[in-house]
Amino acid sequence: MSGPNTNYDPVQVSTLDANQVDARVAEALDAIAEASTTAELKQVRIAHTGDKSPLALANREIGALPPAARKDAGKRIGQARGRVNQALKARQEELAEAELEARLAAETTDVTLPVVTSPQGAPHPITALIDDVCDVFTAMGWEIAEGPEAESEWFNFDALNLGTDHPARALQDTLWLDPVSDGKCMRTATSPVQIHTLLKQQPPVRIISPGKVFRADEYDATHLPVFHQVEGLCVDKGITMGHLKGTVDAFARAMFGDVRTRFRPHYFPFTEPSAEVDLECFVCHGASVGNPDRPCRTCRSEGWIEWGGCGIVNPRVLIACGIDTRVYSGFAFGMGIDRTVMFRNNAPDLRDFVEGDVRFSRSLKGGAR
């Protein structure tokens, strides 16, 4: 039997020479140090640790050595590859941290620089005024009530003491839903909300009901088929016209500043007695009346502006809601939100309120003064 092979050709395994291994390691470390980006380092990794790298090829030559020489060669190559891999890892961490810092610095926003802001919207003046009206009354302890916009005939007319032959029920005034025989319509006022409230809540009741109302009106500068109202209702023991006058006066001052109001006798089926509410002109304060040298466009030199209607709740309305009229009485009032905004801003055309131009909304005051 022959003994183990102890001879080999050093030329064929020259890559395992200690000097050659050290030289390959030095080349790899120099390349790692020179890499300035993680992308460059990736190419260095492939060149010096990949399958075709000098150290990888040298590692393959170990098998050509006799057993006695393999241990030292394997240790030498393993240590060399370990040094290269450690250097790669350390350089990878350095470059990644540097690139992160550079990216963060590049993405930093200088908040002191002037910027072009996006176009800003604006609350619609009607919406803003409704919010402020609600604030005025909730501050006085009143509640906000809402109801459906599509109503039954009983809530919209019958319960409010509007007879079956009342002209408001006609097609030229009311928007009826098909089929008309079902007695469904779009509410012509927010008054039905008061009926809903009285049916669900026993006095004392103090509510306002702002919202959309619908009429079969022309679409022109002074009329819209859809507009907004706010109505108030107070039902309690001992309610008088004095309470009504004080409430309306407080409401008017919140909307228009230091103005006076006056009541003119009128007729409404749901209140008795009833009155129209006029505002003292908040522009001329009556100074234009009979004075051609100081005409006032707002009040047409009449000194007063019609604002809304009010009165003591008709007992028939309370009875329809199951309220004992021997114990309770109440008052109600209603004003147009759109008209109030027009008064405050001298807006000439109601159609501007529904065109959706944000410049119009920015130009008008909606909130309380």
Side-chain angles (χ1 to χ4, degrees), residues 331-360:
F331 67 76
F333 59 86
M335 284 77 183
I337 294 291
D338 312 63
R339 176 172 289 189
T340 301
V341 176
M342 290 186 72
F343 288 165
R344 288 161 53 85
N345 297 274
N346 288 322
D349 196 328
L350 270 175
R351 290 171 292 190
D352 292 332
F353 286 81
V354 295
E355 293 296 330
D357 191 336
V358 70
R359 294 171 297 179
F360 174 77

Side-chain angles (χ1 to χ4, degrees), residues 102-119:
R103 187 164 63 252
L104 292 176
E107 294 174 354
T108 300
T109 301
D110 187 350
V111 296
T112 65
L113 293 176
V115 296
V116 178
T117 58
S118 300

Side-chain angles (χ1 to χ4, degrees), residues 150-162:
E151 278 289 5
S152 70
E153 187 175 11
W154 189 86
F155 280 100
N156 199 75
F157 296 116
D158 296 340
L160 293 168
N161 197 38
L162 277 76

Side-chain angles (χ1 to χ4, degrees), residues 229-306:
Q229 284 184 345
V230 57
E231 297 193 20
L233 172 70
C234 175
V235 178
D236 203 346
K237 297 177 181 178
I239 296 299
T240 67
M241 287 288 287
H243 298 112
L244 170 60
K245 185 69 163 63
T247 302
V248 171
D249 284 350
F251 184 20
R253 287 192 298 270
M255 295 294 101
F256 303 101
D258 186 18
V259 297
R260 294 184 300 156
T261 64
R262 73 176 183 183
F263 285 8
R264 288 183 292 105
H266 198 71
Y267 168 75
F268 299 111
F270 33 82
T271 53
E272 180 62 37
S274 305
E276 289 276 10
V277 181
D278 292 340
L279 296 170
E280 179 187 47
C281 180
F282 40 82
V283 175
C284 72
H285 294 278
S288 65
V289 179
N291 187 354
D293 295 329
R294 295 186 59 185
C296 179
R297 185 178 64 177
T298 302
C299 68
R300 297 184 178 86
S301 298
E302 295 177 0
W304 296 90
I305 302 171
E306 181 182 329

Side-chain angles (χ1 to χ4, degrees), residues 21-353:
V21 172
D22 291 341
R24 301 292 83 78
V25 171
E27 291 175 3
L29 296 180
D30 289 343
I32 292 170
E34 292 175 0
S36 59
T37 66
T38 55
E40 292 180 4
L41 188 63
K42 181 178 180 180
Q43 298 303 318
V44 172
R45 184 188 304 277
I46 295 173
H48 293 277
T49 65
D51 292 340
K52 297 182 179 181
S53 65
L55 290 178
L57 294 175
N59 189 60
R60 295 177 186 174
E61 297 293 338
I62 296 176
L65 297 175
R70 290 176 188 174
K71 181 177 179 180
D72 291 340
K75 181 179 180 180
R76 185 183 312 119
I77 296 299
Q79 290 177 344
R81 298 180 78 178
R83 290 175 58 191
V84 173
N85 286 328
Q86 289 178 359
L88 282 168
K89 181 179 179 181
R91 187 59 174 163
Q92 174 70 29
E93 293 177 353
E94 292 177 7
L95 292 176
E97 183 177 355
E99 289 179 357
L100 176 61
E101 292 179 357
R103 187 164 63 252
L104 292 176
E107 294 174 354
T108 300
T109 301
D110 187 350
V111 296
T112 65
L113 293 176
V115 296
V116 178
T117 58
S118 300
Q120 297 296 310
H124 195 282
I126 291 177
T127 302
L129 186 62
I130 289 175
D131 290 343
D132 281 336
V133 169
C134 292
D135 289 342
V136 169
F137 280 94
T138 54
M140 295 192 296
W142 290 47
E143 297 179 354
I144 312 302
E146 297 180 340
E149 294 177 353
E151 278 289 5
S152 70
E153 187 175 11
W154 189 86
F155 280 100
N156 199 75
F157 296 116
D158 296 340
L160 293 168
N161 197 38
L162 277 76
T164 56
D165 58 347
H166 195 282
R169 294 176 181 252
L171 291 175
Q172 65 264 25
D173 288 333
T174 300
L175 298 172
W176 292 92
L177 302 178
D178 286 334
V180 177
S181 58
D182 285 351
K184 300 288 186 179
C185 66
M186 301 304 293
R187 66 184 183 188
T188 57
T190 55
S191 304
V193 178
Q194 301 174 11
I195 305 301
H196 284 287
T197 302
L198 290 176
L199 289 173
K200 294 184 295 185
Q201 177 180 339
Q202 287 296 309
V205 172
R206 292 177 179 83
I207 62 164
I208 61 166
S209 51
K212 293 179 182 177
V213 297
F214 306 83
R215 304 277 177 87
D217 286 340
E218 296 291 333
Y219 179 69
D220 56 33
T222 56
H223 298 85
L224 294 176
V226 182
F227 53 100
H228 301 78
Q229 284 184 345
V230 57
E231 297 193 20
L233 172 70
C234 175
V235 178
D236 203 346
K237 297 177 181 178
I239 296 299
T240 67
M241 287 288 287
H243 298 112
L244 170 60
K245 185 69 163 63
T247 302
V248 171
D249 284 350
F251 184 20
R253 287 192 298 270
M255 295 294 101
F256 303 101
D258 186 18
V259 297
R260 294 184 300 156
T261 64
R262 73 176 183 183
F263 285 8
R264 288 183 292 105
H266 198 71
Y267 168 75
F268 299 111
F270 33 82
T271 53
E272 180 62 37
S274 305
E276 289 276 10
V277 181
D278 292 340
L279 296 170
E280 179 187 47
C281 180
F282 40 82
V283 175
C284 72
H285 294 278
S288 65
V289 179
N291 187 354
D293 295 329
R294 295 186 59 185
C296 179
R297 185 178 64 177
T298 302
C299 68
R300 297 184 178 86
S301 298
E302 295 177 0
W304 296 90
I305 302 171
E306 181 182 329
W307 188 29
C310 64
I312 297 298
V313 178
N314 193 311
R316 293 184 178 181
V317 175
L318 297 179
I319 293 172
C321 297
I323 305 298
D324 189 346
T325 57
R326 296 170 298 179
V327 179
Y328 297 105
S329 58
F331 67 76
F333 59 86
M335 284 77 183
I337 294 291
D338 312 63
R339 176 172 289 189
T340 301
V341 176
M342 290 186 72
F343 288 165
R344 288 161 53 85
N345 297 274
N346 288 322
D349 196 328
L350 270 175
R351 290 171 292 190
D352 292 332
F353 286 81

